[in-house]
Amino acid sequence: QVQLVESGGGLVQPGGSLRLSCAASGSIFRIDAMGWFRQAPGKERDLVASIIGDSKSNYAESVKGRFTISRDGVKNTVYLQMNSLRPEDTAVYYCRYNANGRILWGQGTQVTVSS
């Protein structure tokens, strides 16, 4: 059974930075894509960033130039470096893997940007 475990969320002031991590445990033999989504209260879950292979990345317009997605293929871990954070980035952040022919979700980690 593959599980995704996220870490790195928390409270940060506007303009600050956080780094989210999502590690996969269990037997993984193929990962097609990894991504980060976020869901603010009363809103839908939206794509923040995704990565295919080692370098083919895609970002939501609202985070371009501020967030960076990366992966460690050996550790089956995906990261989201978030800089210049804004109050509107406040949400629960979820990682998602397209792995072993399935869609897998993490449990979510809260990111709050507030002074």
Side-chain angles (χ1 to χ4, degrees):
Q1 189 83 344
V2 177
Q3 289 187 320
L4 304 182
V5 179
E6 299 154 359
S7 60
L11 173 65
V12 64
Q13 292 187 341
S17 298
L18 283 174
R19 188 190 194 212
L20 305 182
S21 300
C22 176
S25 63
S27 181
I28 293 182
F29 55 85
R30 175 175 171 167
I31 297 178
D32 295 311
M34 298 165 152
W36 288 95
F37 290 70
R38 66 186 180 188
Q39 187 168 21
K43 295 190 176 181
E44 294 186 351
R45 189 175 298 187
D46 293 324
L47 175 68
V48 176
S50 63
I51 186 166
I52 297 174
D54 290 325
S55 59
K56 197 170 186 180
S57 57
N58 179 56
Y59 296 91
E61 284 296 325
S62 60
V63 307
K64 279 184 180 178
R66 300 188 298 123
F67 291 11
T68 303
I69 189 170
S70 61
R71 63 179 287 181
D72 184 326
V74 175
K75 297 180 180 179
N76 288 329
T77 298
V78 65
Y79 305 96
L80 186 68
Q81 178 65 44
M82 305 186 293
N83 299 328
S84 301
L85 282 160
R86 305 167 180 169
E88 54 264 39
D89 294 318
T90 295
V92 177
Y93 284 70
Y94 298 89
C95 62
R96 190 184 88 170
Y97 283 25
N98 294 35
N100 295 356
R102 298 173 59 197
I103 301 295
L104 305 169
W105 288 94
Q107 82 284 0
T109 185
Q110 177 69 45
V111 171
T112 302
V113 184
S114 175
S115 54

